[in-house]
């Protein structure tokens, strides 16, 4: 086990968080998700697999929440028929498949998996189906996501309001944008080494790529597409908060900055993701306080496009070439052909295992739909769909002028959850969708429930399970 600088800092911050108010632990947990290529430490026993900063801090977050809320409220997240029950079922099923399916179907299919070598970058290879370290790592990530969901649920059931979720979204967005700016500045000033402390994961890092003469923003992530996936989630959530009138000065500026960052990332995933999110934002805007401004802006876009084509033909031609390279010709590129092959192999794995799947972590694809089918089969895919539907259909908090921020936060979390699924469907390669996904889902699950009548005395063992009993009674009612 080899610790990195960010790992040591995470240990110090995590230990300090245990003695701070629990809200700080939640804020730190959310903010840590920014560091998508920062390894806390590398495990030589698993071929040099990297444990990222957010995964390490998750341990401290769970400890602090249990200390504050009691384990009862964490368990209450998984009481049927709540949202967490479906996630628990999915995780248990995934664990079973990871242990048994690679052995049961060994040699019956070929899968794309990550091959790890100690002291070298990981690479993806086509290999016969067998049990590997990928089954272990993806199972650990799945269990970590389950714990993150449960502890987030417990925190919001104890807190009762969504203020900390709004604050965490704004703070994390600010940190992400700050590192995006730093990425650009260090690239053009030839000082990329300054970003080295957040680029220590044992991945193939494509942080110096250009497209159309522009630097592809990767920020704290291994490549531009990963940065775009993450940033789209916050663009959706922050824009939703702005439309609901929550801290409009800050959220308005951040929403515009996030949109600019997505466009400058030159990622096809970013463009498709924005196109998928925008209709929901426009529908919300037309019905809200910004209806006139949005309508005028949307009507003016075709006029602006015509003016650019007529008055600036060279710019229009350059823009067309740029879009052609980034989106239209993507399927013909080497990356496009490679990802198409991943999907083809994943589908064959699904077929060759008779629809049961090769087991959690056994197969990699370039679409989350095929990841689910090739890893968990029809049964696991159906359970995940039920879980996602439960999140989307969760009721908004009952309208109350004093709870306007709660309603807005649940809407924002749902749209952010949707953005994760959009980017994963386009280019998701593994089952793990990141801790942000579970934090948003846990927030929706908790804030969509009626407020607790009373808060148990969390530090008294006699009352530790009171919250669970109360929540379970509400779930059955």
């Amino acid at each position: 086990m080899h610790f990195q600088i960010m790992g040591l800092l995470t240990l110090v911050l995590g230990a300090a968080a245990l003695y701070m108010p629990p809200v700080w632990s939640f804020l730190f947990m959310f903010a840590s998700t920014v560091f998508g290529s920062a390894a806390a430490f590398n495990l030589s026993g698993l071929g040099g697999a990297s444990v990222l900063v957010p995964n390490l801090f998750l341990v401290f977050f769970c400890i602090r929440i249990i200390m504050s809320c009691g384990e009862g409220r964490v368990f209450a997240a998984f009481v049927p028929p709540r949202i967490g029950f479906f996630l628990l079922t999915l995780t248990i099923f995934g664990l079973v498949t990871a242990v048994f399916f690679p052995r049961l179907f060994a040699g019956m299919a070929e899968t794309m998996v990550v091959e790890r070598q100690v002291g070298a970058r990981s690479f993806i290879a086509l290999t016969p189906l067998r049990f590997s370290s990928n089954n272990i790592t993806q199972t650990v990530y799945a269990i970590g996501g389950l714990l993150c969901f449960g502890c987030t649920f417990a925190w919001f059931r104890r807190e009762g309001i969504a203020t900390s979720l709004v604050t965490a979204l704004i703070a994390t967005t600010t940190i992400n944008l700050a590192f995006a700016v730093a990425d650009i500045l260090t690239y053009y000033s030839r000082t990329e080494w300054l970003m080295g402390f957040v680029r220590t994961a044992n991945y193939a890092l494509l942080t110096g790529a250009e497209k159309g003469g522009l630097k592809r923003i990767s920020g704290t992530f291994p490549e531009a597409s990963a940065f775009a996936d993450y940033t789209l989630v916050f663009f959706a959530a922050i824009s939703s908060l702005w439309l609901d009138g929550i801290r409009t000065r800050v959220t308005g500026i951040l929403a515009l900055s996030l949109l600019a960052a997505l466009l400058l990332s030159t990622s096809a995933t970013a463009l498709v993701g924005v196109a998928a999110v925008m209709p929901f934002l426009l529908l919300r805007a037309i019905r809200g306080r910004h209806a006139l401004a949005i309508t005028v802006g949307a009507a003016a876009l075709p006029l602006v496009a015509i003016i650019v084509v007529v008055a600036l033909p060279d710019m229009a031609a350059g823009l067309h070439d740029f879009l052609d390279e980034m989106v239209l010709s993507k399927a013909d590129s080497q990356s496009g052909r490679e990802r198409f092959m991943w999907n083809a192999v994943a589908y064959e794995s699904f077929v060759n295992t008779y629809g049961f799947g090769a087991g959690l972590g056994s197969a990699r694809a370039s679409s989350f739909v095929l990841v689910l089918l090739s890893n968990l089969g029809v049964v696991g895919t159906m359970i995940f769909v039920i879980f996602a539907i439960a999140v989307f259909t969760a009721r908004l908090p009952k309208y109350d002028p004093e709870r306007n921020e709660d309603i807005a936060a649940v809407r924002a979390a749902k749209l952010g959850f949707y953005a994760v699924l959009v980017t994963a469907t386009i280019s998701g390669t593994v089952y793990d969708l990141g801790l942000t996904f579970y934090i948003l889902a846990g927030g929706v699950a908790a804030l969509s429930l009626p407020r607790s009548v009373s808060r148990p005395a969390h530090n008294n063992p006699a009352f530790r399970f009171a919250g669970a009993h109360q929540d379970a009674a509400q779930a059955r009612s």
Side-chain angles (χ1 to χ4, degrees):
M1 182 184 297
H2 177 64
F3 267 89
Q4 305 289 340
I5 294 177
M6 287 295 293
L8 296 175
L9 292 175
T10 303
L11 287 175
V12 173
L13 186 61
L18 297 179
Y19 298 95
M20 299 170 70
V23 64
W24 286 104
S25 182
F26 174 74
L27 293 176
F28 291 155
M29 182 69 254
F30 213 143
S32 72
T33 61
V34 170
F35 301 102
S37 63
F41 55 89
N42 295 317
L43 295 172
S44 56
L46 290 178
S50 297
V51 176
L52 301 180
V53 165
N55 300 114
L56 176 59
F57 192 84
L58 176 63
V59 176
F60 297 98
F61 172 62
C62 292
I63 293 173
R64 185 65 186 94
I65 294 301
I66 292 174
M67 289 170 56
S68 174
C69 305
E71 61 270 29
R73 287 199 183 276
V74 178
F75 294 148
F78 309 111
V79 174
R82 287 187 175 162
I83 295 172
F85 171 73
F86 303 111
L87 181 61
L88 175 64
T89 304
L90 179 65
T91 305
I92 293 175
F93 179 76
L95 174 61
V96 172
T97 65
V99 173
F100 295 105
F101 284 16
R103 296 178 171 89
L104 179 64
F105 299 112
M108 295 178 61
E110 290 186 316
T111 60
M112 303 296 300
V113 296
V114 175
E115 294 288 347
R116 298 185 175 92
Q117 294 180 341
V118 179
R121 296 294 185 189
S122 303
F123 62 94
I124 300 172
L126 179 64
T127 62
L129 177 60
R130 57 181 172 79
F131 185 84
S132 68
S133 63
N134 296 281
N135 299 108
I136 299 174
T137 55
Q138 286 298 306
T139 300
V140 170
Y141 286 144
I143 295 173
L146 183 73
L147 293 174
C148 184
F149 175 95
C151 290
T152 301
F153 177 94
W155 163 244
F156 282 111
R157 290 301 288 165
R158 174 190 183 275
E159 183 73 357
I161 56 175
T163 301
S164 56
L165 178 58
V166 175
T167 302
L169 283 168
I170 292 174
T172 306
T173 297
T174 303
I175 296 171
N176 185 38
L177 289 173
F179 274 105
V181 172
D183 181 34
I184 296 173
L185 294 178
T186 55
Y187 178 78
Y188 287 109
S189 64
R190 299 292 186 267
T191 56
E192 297 98 325
W193 57 270
L194 292 173
M195 296 281 288
F197 71 102
V198 294
R199 295 170 175 168
T200 54
N202 186 23
Y203 304 147
L205 302 178
L206 305 175
T207 57
E210 290 187 5
K211 181 169 285 188
L214 294 176
K215 200 278 180 193
R216 304 192 69 193
I217 301 176
S218 56
T220 54
F221 293 85
E223 58 180 350
S225 61
F227 169 80
D229 292 350
Y230 184 81
T231 302
L232 180 69
V233 176
F234 289 87
F235 168 70
I238 293 294
S239 298
S240 179
L241 291 176
W242 177 73
L243 290 173
D244 279 325
I246 305 299
R247 310 184 198 182
T248 51
R249 290 186 179 180
V250 175
T251 54
I253 294 173
L254 290 178
L256 288 174
S257 300
L258 288 166
L259 180 59
L262 285 169
L263 297 178
L264 292 174
S265 70
T266 69
S267 169
T269 301
L271 291 184
V272 177
V274 169
V277 169
M278 274 298 186
F280 293 94
L281 295 175
L282 290 175
L283 287 174
R284 291 266 307 281
I286 290 173
R287 298 168 56 187
R289 67 184 69 187
H290 306 287
L292 180 60
I294 295 295
T295 303
V296 172
L301 285 177
L303 179 61
V304 172
I306 292 173
I307 292 174
V308 170
V309 171
V310 174
L312 301 169
D314 292 338
M315 178 182 292
L319 181 60
H320 174 271
D321 293 341
F322 177 75
L323 292 175
D324 180 70
E325 179 185 356
M326 187 166 61
V327 180
L328 303 179
S329 301
K330 183 71 172 179
D332 295 329
S333 66
Q334 180 181 352
S335 173
R337 290 192 295 270
E338 180 180 349
R339 289 178 178 272
F340 180 81
M341 184 189 72
W342 294 2
N343 288 337
V345 172
Y347 180 73
E348 287 182 3
S349 299
F350 169 70
V351 173
N352 292 336
T353 56
Y354 307 103
F356 288 98
L360 181 60
S362 293
R364 176 175 289 246
S366 186
S367 172
F368 188 66
V369 175
L370 285 169
V371 168
L372 286 175
L373 290 173
S374 61
N375 283 261
L376 302 180
V378 174
V379 175
T381 302
M382 291 179 61
I383 299 173
F384 182 88
V385 169
I386 294 171
F387 165 67
I389 291 174
V391 173
F392 288 129
T393 58
R395 295 180 179 179
L396 294 174
K398 187 177 180 181
Y399 178 75
D400 183 342
E402 296 182 359
R403 296 197 70 186
N404 182 50
E405 192 169 85
D406 291 5
I407 297 173
V410 172
R411 284 176 176 162
K414 283 187 177 183
L415 196 55
F417 182 89
Y418 166 73
V420 175
L421 293 181
V422 167
T423 57
T425 300
I426 298 169
S427 59
T429 58
V430 293
Y431 173 82
D432 178 42
L433 294 176
L435 294 179
T436 305
F437 176 79
Y438 298 102
I439 292 173
L440 295 175
V444 171
L447 294 170
S448 61
L449 294 175
R451 287 184 178 180
S452 300
V453 177
S454 60
R455 295 180 182 177
H458 304 291
N459 295 326
N460 188 337
F463 295 97
R464 181 152 295 177
F465 288 90
H469 295 159
Q470 181 184 40
D471 284 350
Q474 290 178 356
R476 290 190 292 267
S477 63

